[in-house]
């Protein structure tokens, strides 16, 4: 939807942002390894071309797949009582998106301990490791997320997709090769040739 410039994701209740996958239902189903469609579980584990900024307004517990959904967003606003966990280790399930993404977001040794123990990480620790951008009082995550979203929505519409595509394509690429990729990406070239650039300068 071209009219949508930025997305804010928030849980509906006060206790949970998202409790994640229903493990009891999965255990009793033959579809536990089903294809979740484009983007994987929750639609945000590996979206192919989702180039709009996504803000997580984490208003409570995000564990398992719920935390993996948070890891699929670009900016994380956490309420001070919110917590993260990947408890899959305790039930013999591989937190695949968490395993792949977490070590790219926080220091390796912190990520590995978190994955191997299934322990909880509170908002203060999340902010300490750079996982959360902002920690706000209870009930204020949506307001802070909307404040950021309003700032982003007023920005140049071509630039955000170019930034997200460039980040995605160069995440694990050496610097010199990253600049070569920069020169070849269509969205980046559209920005360089755009009226937005002329107007901005």
């Amino acid at each position: 939807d071209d009219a949508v410039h930025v997305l804010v994701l928030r849980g509906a209740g006060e206790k949970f942002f998202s409790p994640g996958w229903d493990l009891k239902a999965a255990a009793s189903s033959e579809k536990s390894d089903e294809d979740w469609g484009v983007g994987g579980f929750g639609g945000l584990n590996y979206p192919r071309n989702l180039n709009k900024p996504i803000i997580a307004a984490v208003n409570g517990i995000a564990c398992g797949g719920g935390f993996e959904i948070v890891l699929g967003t670009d900016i994380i606003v956490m309420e001070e009582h919110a917590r993260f966990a990947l408890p899959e280790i305790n039930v013999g399930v591989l937190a695949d998106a968490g395993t792949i993404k977490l070590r790219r977001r926080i220091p390796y040794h912190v990520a590995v301990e978190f994955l191997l123990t299934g322990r909880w990480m509170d908002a203060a620790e999340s902010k300490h490791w750079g996982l959360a951008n902002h920690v706000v009082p209870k009930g204020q995550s949506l307001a802070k997320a909307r404040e950021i979203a309003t700032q982003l929505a007023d920005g140049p519409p071509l630039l955000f997709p170019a930034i997200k595509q460039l980040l995605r394509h160069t995440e694990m690429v050496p610097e010199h090769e990253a600049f070569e990729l920069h020169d070849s990406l269509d969205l980046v070239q559209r920005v360089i040739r755009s009226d937005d650039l002329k107007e901005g300068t």
Side-chain angles (χ1 to χ4, degrees):
D1 185 344
D2 291 337
V4 176
H5 291 236
V6 60
L7 303 125
V8 175
L9 189 62
R10 179 188 183 274
E14 293 184 4
K15 184 175 181 181
F16 287 99
F17 170 84
S18 171
W21 197 16
D22 185 339
L23 294 176
K24 285 184 182 177
S28 63
S29 170
E30 294 178 1
K31 297 182 177 180
S32 61
D33 61 348
E34 68 184 303
D35 181 358
W36 297 99
V38 176
F41 180 86
L44 291 178
N45 281 346
Y46 44 92
R48 299 299 190 268
N49 293 300
L50 185 51
N51 288 322
K52 297 176 187 203
I54 309 168
I55 303 168
V58 184
N59 57 311
I61 291 170
C63 64
F67 179 49
E68 291 176 310
I69 290 171
V70 172
L71 289 173
T73 66
D74 302 302
I75 297 171
I76 300 171
V77 178
M78 274 184 93
E79 295 185 13
E80 56 194 3
H81 69 288
R83 298 186 298 157
F84 295 143
L86 289 170
E88 285 89 335
I89 191 76
N90 299 315
V91 291
V93 174
L94 174 65
D96 47 8
T99 302
I100 292 167
K101 290 184 174 191
L102 192 60
R103 64 157 305 177
R104 290 168 162 81
R105 310 284 192 278
I106 62 176
Y108 174 84
H109 293 96
V110 179
V112 169
E113 183 226 11
F114 188 74
L115 288 160
L116 294 180
T117 64
R119 73 174 180 84
W120 290 92
M121 183 181 293
D122 63 19
E125 185 182 0
S126 299
K127 178 82 163 110
H128 171 78
W129 295 122
L131 189 56
N133 298 82
H134 305 277
V135 174
V136 297
K138 186 173 184 177
Q140 297 299 308
S141 62
L142 187 57
K144 181 63 178 178
R146 283 182 170 156
E147 176 189 323
I148 298 166
T150 300
Q151 178 185 353
L152 296 180
D154 290 338
L158 283 177
L159 205 50
F160 298 141
I163 288 170
K164 286 199 68 173
Q165 188 182 63
L166 190 57
L167 285 169
R168 202 167 48 245
H169 284 274
T170 61
E171 185 172 20
M172 302 301 287
V173 173
E175 187 175 299
H176 183 76
E177 188 180 337
F179 277 104
E180 290 178 348
L181 268 171
H182 164 275
D183 295 341
S184 69
L185 292 175
D186 178 62
L187 280 173
V188 172
Q189 294 308 309
R190 285 177 58 196
V191 168
I192 292 170
R193 297 189 305 269
S194 71
D195 290 335
D196 285 352
L197 180 64
K198 292 174 186 172
E199 181 183 335
T201 51

